[in-house]
Amino acid sequence: MRSQKLGYHLWNVILFLIVQQVEGQQYLDQWQKIDVQHYDFSISLSDTSDVIYSSADIKVVFKEPVKSFSLDLADKDEHGKGMVVKRVSVNGIESRFRHVNDSLYIYPGNAKAITSATINIEYSGIPADGLIISENKFGERTFFSDNWPDHAHSWLPCIDHPNDKATVEFKVSAPDYYQVIASGDMVEEITLDNQNKLTHWESEEPLSTKVMAIGVARFAIDTVENNLHVPISTWVYPIDANKGFTDYMNAAEPLSFFITHIAPYPFSKLANVQSTTVFGGMENAGNIFYQESLVTGNQRQEGTIVHEIAHQWFGNSVSERTWYHVWLSEGFSTYLTDLYYEYKYGRDVFKSRMIRERNLVIRYSKRNNSTVIDTTVTVDMTLLNPNTYEKGGWFLHMLRKELGDKLFWQCIVTFYEKYKYSNALTADFQNIVDSLSGKNMNLFFEQWLSKPGHPQLDIRWYQKRKNVCVKIEQLQKSFIFDFPLDLEFVSKDGSMNTVTVHVNKVLETYSFPVESTIENIVPDPDVWLLYEGKVTRKKF
Ligand SMILES: [Zn+2]
């Protein structure tokens, strides 16, 4: 996703949204036991109250025979919000359950342990989160899910972790003047007798709960013609129809770029949806939700649209196996957006984006001595920061320099192909890079993803007749990095010559023979290195 304020200051201002839930034992226990195959949610929404009435049929297999198990589902909080379970049955037999601490413990009550089950759960309540029932900016009532990162269980019984993917269908009953969009394809729309309408959507692709979605509102809908064999549509509030249709009309171009460079589009449709999401854009699989206030009619959202479309491959189809590896979503989408800008607008625009993103990483490192893969992180908005976005993107940029364009894209494509509709860790990506490059990339992955900071260089140089002496010192305290550094020698006559040095010590001096008088040395002239530093012409 993209934060609402494009400056990425979300993590500073939105701490109130923190859910104190560390990756941990709870999910480990669940993974070892359960694998959800399919969710079938029937949900009734109304205008008379914010209570949702729901019946969930969930197909699971157990990795070993069990006599009890648990699903995630928020119970009632002190404000009266949350879900109350009325009845649970397992394989058609009413079962005992206990609903505490956002967990629904289910005891099938059969003496024999079971290896698979269809669980039916009837429940109701006002969602405290996850499904936002509110008024949009025009004062019209809307219902939009906002499941990321783990808010699905605020309104849906599920395994609320990206590692357990399942197919899903939503059968939404709502007043008939609303349109309903949800994950997958529309199966049917049926008028019910009480001025309600049932809208049924089903995703045949397995999804993580974080990117399952429904949106219920009065929408104006437009179809975006394309030759990609992907149904593309725009769903915006009727009052914003003209502006919104204009803003999202160019979605086919980034879609085409990613199809060409990565793989066929992984989902059955692409809908760009105006919504009340707390994010600038939220990449829900096949139906991206964009913050309602960003619709202007001036096509100012291009960066966000490209980023969310890139997520359909990385984030939604290939998903992080644990939240510690969220950069596999955000870093990939950030850099894929940069690559699209390079393709569309050229090298100079691309370079200025990379410089801006590098500055964000540098600024963030002054406040946070943390790493891209961060095992201390909590599952909340703090997952979204310049390490997981821009530093993750910069990692891929430096990897591209290391491998060359052709091998870089082969690694991206192979990683995608192997883990599509599934989950991966950083080590899975590294294995592919190691194997396709024939190199051991341990140090490269380790220093940029698992060490804090970046090279802080003090570069001094002077010329003595036909020789230029250069001294490079790494000033950062945390870790001594190992990297190639391009140095561009600018001669008095304006000619330029670039040499590459391999830096891997605290302090190193180099000597270069030159033919002319050197005026200046420019480090990293083509913007390939994540570093900060200064150059001084001074004898040492
Ligand atoms: Zn994102």
Side-chain angles (χ1 to χ4, degrees), residues 215-470:
V216 182
R218 286 185 176 87
F219 283 118
I221 304 164
D222 190 29
T223 300
V224 178
E225 297 302 329
N226 70 88
N227 54 11
L228 302 169
H229 308 292
V230 177
I232 306 177
S233 58
T234 303
W235 297 54
V236 293
Y237 307 148
I239 301 173
D240 265 347
N242 289 336
K243 289 177 183 171
F245 293 163
T246 304
D247 279 353
Y248 301 110
M249 69 192 291
N250 297 325
E253 202 178 349
L255 195 69
S256 168
F257 176 79
F258 296 129
I259 289 171
T260 305
H261 285 81
I262 305 169
Y265 180 66
F267 302 107
S268 58
K269 70 167 189 304
L270 173 63
N272 291 302
V273 184
Q274 186 177 23
S275 79
T276 61
T277 176
V278 299
F279 303 105
M282 176 58 223
E283 65 267 20
N284 302 315
N287 26 236
I288 299 166
F289 286 5
Y290 298 89
Q291 226 293 322
E292 58 183 18
S293 63
L294 299 179
V295 169
T296 60
N298 298 321
Q299 299 192 335
R300 289 201 188 126
Q301 294 185 64
E302 185 176 19
T304 303
I305 294 169
V306 178
H307 178 101
E308 306 310 335
I309 291 177
H311 266 311
Q312 306 303 313
W313 285 264
F314 291 101
N316 297 358
S317 180
V318 177
S319 307
E320 57 275 20
R321 183 169 293 284
T322 81
W323 286 114
Y324 303 153
H325 300 261
V326 67
W327 83 274
L328 294 172
S329 290
E330 298 305 345
F332 271 66
S333 292
T334 299
Y335 193 53
L336 287 167
T337 304
D338 295 324
L339 290 168
Y340 176 76
Y341 271 75
E342 183 181 20
Y343 146 83
K344 186 169 176 188
Y345 297 108
R347 188 75 193 171
D348 287 347
V349 169
F350 171 74
K351 270 164 70 172
S352 65
R353 283 178 72 88
M354 295 316 297
I355 290 168
R356 185 177 58 78
E357 288 167 14
R358 181 166 64 189
N359 289 338
L360 283 171
V361 176
I362 292 168
R363 274 211 302 277
Y364 185 68
S365 74
K366 311 288 180 203
R367 309 194 307 270
N368 278 279
N369 191 37
S370 54
T371 53
V372 174
I373 300 170
D374 187 355
T375 53
T376 65
V377 79
T378 45
V379 181
D380 56 41
M381 297 300 171
T382 59
L383 288 167
L384 310 178
N385 62 60
N387 275 345
T388 55
Y389 282 72
E390 285 81 9
K391 194 174 180 187
W394 254 94
F395 169 82
L396 292 174
H397 183 54
M398 291 186 287
L399 183 68
R400 174 184 169 197
K401 174 72 159 39
E402 181 75 23
L403 302 177
D405 279 15
K406 191 171 170 216
L407 188 53
F408 170 77
W409 277 111
Q410 275 174 6
C411 290
I412 300 291
V413 168
T414 308
F415 178 52
Y416 178 76
E417 196 53 40
K418 184 160 182 193
Y419 293 98
K420 64 185 175 186
Y421 304 115
S422 178
N423 296 81
L425 296 171
T426 304
D428 298 319
F429 181 50
Q430 195 197 323
N431 283 340
I432 280 162
V433 175
D434 281 3
S435 121
L436 289 182
S437 68
K439 295 179 189 173
N440 180 334
M441 299 290 283
N442 266 347
L443 178 62
F444 188 87
F445 274 71
E446 172 80 10
Q447 69 180 1
W448 297 116
L449 298 177
S450 298
K451 299 288 182 194
H454 49 266
Q456 296 173 9
L457 303 181
D458 182 36
I459 300 169
R460 292 168 192 235
W461 70 277
Y462 66 91
Q463 182 165 8
K464 193 176 175 186
R465 289 188 288 276
K466 296 271 184 179
N467 256 308
V468 166
C469 300
V470 181

Side-chain angles (χ1 to χ4, degrees), residues 133-244:
I133 303 173
S134 62
E135 285 184 353
N136 69 14
K137 64 177 182 177
F138 298 117
E140 294 187 342
R141 186 169 169 83
T142 57
F143 311 71
F144 285 104
S145 63
D146 231 353
N147 286 353
W148 195 96
D150 61 349
H151 297 171
H153 73 279
S154 296
W155 61 294
L156 303 170
C158 59
I159 302 290
D160 203 359
H161 193 281
N163 187 52
D164 194 347
K165 293 192 173 187
T167 50
V168 61
E169 56 195 301
F170 287 102
K171 296 162 183 162
V172 179
S173 160
D176 58 8
Y177 39 81
Y178 290 125
Q179 276 84 39
V180 177
I181 188 161
S183 309
D185 285 318
M186 192 191 280
V187 179
E188 59 184 354
E189 206 177 31
I190 304 167
T191 305
L192 305 173
D193 51 8
N194 49 357
Q195 292 182 319
N196 278 356
K197 185 173 69 177
L198 177 78
T199 314
H200 180 184
W201 289 84
E202 177 163 13
S203 170
E204 289 177 6
E205 292 84 24
L207 304 178
S208 301
T209 51
K210 64 172 182 164
V211 291
M212 293 175 183
I214 69 166
V216 182
R218 286 185 176 87
F219 283 118
I221 304 164
D222 190 29
T223 300
V224 178
E225 297 302 329
N226 70 88
N227 54 11
L228 302 169
H229 308 292
V230 177
I232 306 177
S233 58
T234 303
W235 297 54
V236 293
Y237 307 148
I239 301 173
D240 265 347
N242 289 336
K243 289 177 183 171

Side-chain angles (χ1 to χ4, degrees), residues 50 64 110 120 213 215 217 227 253 421 478 481 525:
D50 291 347
E64 55 191 54
N110 207 324
N120 176 263
N227 54 11
E253 202 178 349
Y421 304 115
S478 56
F481 284 80

